[in-house]
Amino acid sequence: MTDTPERPGLFDPAALGPLHLPNRLVMAPLTRNRATADGVPTAMMATYYAQRATAGLIVAEASTPNAVGQTYPNITAIHTPAHVAGWRTVTDAVRAAGGRMYLQLQHGGRVGHPDTSGLRPVAPSPIALPETIHTPAGRTPSVVPREMTAEDIRTTVADFARAARLALDAGFEGVEVHAANGHLLHQFLSAGTNRRTDGYGGSVAGRVRFAVEVTGAVAEAIGPERVGVRVSPTATYNGIDPVDAAEVQPALVTALAEIRPVYLHVVHADPDAPLFQKLRALWPTTLIANPVLPPDRIPADGGRHRAERLLAAGADLIALGRPFLANPDLTARLRTGAPVNQVRDAYLMYVGGEVGYTDYPTLSSAAAPGGVPTAGPG
């Protein structure tokens, strides 16, 4: 009888293309709205990410590849020299702290507003987001997006490829193409947001085409060994109905596998779900799994038990979001079983400033006289 090889643990090293990761923990991309109004990263962002550099990999927050792709105020972008220079201060700080970073590329599609970007949003079909959207003036009714023309699609694919090249110029190790959470690529995948009758709509093959073309262009621009893709098969964010996810997501993953990106990042992965198991079986390279955690509280173990269940189910790396947000030294806390910080106030996640951003205490700062939080790496 042959013994089944033991799966690696959270703190075992891993290879990711040309990268050597010291552990299997990934800091998931988290929009924090700390950039300037035109999308340039700020000095406090360099501090924030450097504090969390003990993650095996950091995937930096969603950055738009063009102006019309902007979602909310003060989110980051990567399409001008100023964006590259701003991000370079962040990647330099993380590298100096011993870390490694990818940048997530995200186009909001219909998740945008002229009051924020100055432009009417675009989407696969002229179907408005079924909810209000945050703008500089507060919550505002969403607008009907302009349906993308064939030229818009070609230009957007090229914008993603250019943004990937700029990300490497900014010091990132690679990029993650965001095809999840109800943003533009996900809007093409969903029958509820894609009513097109051309080659980018209708059939499953038509609906996955745009995401595959974007990923292929990005892979050609910087090499597939530096490209990941994020999907959220069952998510309902931003008005997405995943009713046919069991058909669409495997088709997407099968097509993407031919490009051989270095990883697939599955959001809200459930190790017992048949769809997760099918995607794992279809995917030929590294699979990053983001476990389902309670929406209102970080588990007392920081999510370690759920992470280890996903590793046992075939995931290679584990992405955690809010646990890293509230715990700069999450890697050490998970390794030692130390208590974890809770998110202090969800409102502070998106309002700008240091409070609720760079002032979460580390184990070392909590043990210091007075328990004053430090701003250095955790």
Side-chain angles (χ1 to χ4, degrees), residues 78 97 120 172 178 193 198 218 224 231 233 249 255 332 342 355 360 365 370:
I78 185 72
R120 183 181 174 189
F172 289 97
H178 195 23
T193 47
D198 62 2
V218 170
V231 297
Q249 294 290 327
Q342 293 295 324
V355 178
Y360 278 101
S365 68

Side-chain angles (χ1 to χ4, degrees), residues 352-364:
E354 303 280 354
V355 178
Y357 189 59
T358 57
D359 63 343
Y360 278 101
T362 63
L363 292 171
S364 58

Side-chain angles (χ1 to χ4, degrees), residues 296-315:
D296 56 348
R297 188 167 181 82
I298 298 169
D301 68 351
R304 179 170 177 171
H305 173 70
R306 299 182 192 215
E308 289 175 338
R309 285 194 64 222
L310 282 166
L311 288 178

Side-chain angles (χ1 to χ4, degrees), residues 101-161:
M101 293 188 81
Y102 266 49
L103 179 65
Q104 186 184 77
L105 303 181
Q106 172 194 277
H107 189 302
R110 69 176 185 170
V111 186
H113 198 280
D115 289 354
T116 302
S117 67
L119 300 166
R120 183 181 174 189
V122 297
S125 299
I127 303 169
L129 184 71
E131 55 196 65
T132 60
I133 188 168
H134 185 62
T135 73
R139 301 296 304 189
T140 303
S142 300
V143 300
V144 176
R146 179 174 61 80
E147 180 171 297
M148 294 175 73
T149 64
E151 179 59 26
D152 290 330
I153 289 173
R154 286 191 292 271
T155 299
T156 303
V157 170
D159 287 345
F160 269 93

Side-chain angles (χ1 to χ4, degrees), residues 2 18 37 54-55 117 134 137 143 160 163 190 205 209 219 233 247 287 321 327 332 336 354-355 361 369-370 377:
T2 303
T54 54
S117 67
H134 185 62
V143 300
F160 269 93
S190 173
R209 180 181 172 185
E247 182 181 8
L287 188 139
N327 296 273
T336 62
E354 303 280 354
V355 178

Side-chain angles (χ1 to χ4, degrees), residues 26-30 48 290-291 293 298 319-326 330:
V26 177
M27 178 179 171
L30 295 161
Y48 169 78
N290 167 230
L293 298 180
I298 298 169
L320 295 172
R322 287 176 296 115
F324 267 112
L325 182 159
L330 180 67

Side-chain angles (χ1 to χ4, degrees), residues 209-230:
R209 180 181 172 185
F210 180 63
V212 174
E213 288 185 357
V214 167
T215 304
V218 170
E220 183 176 355
I222 64 173
E225 73 280 3
R226 296 185 181 275
V227 179
V229 182
R230 193 183 207 208

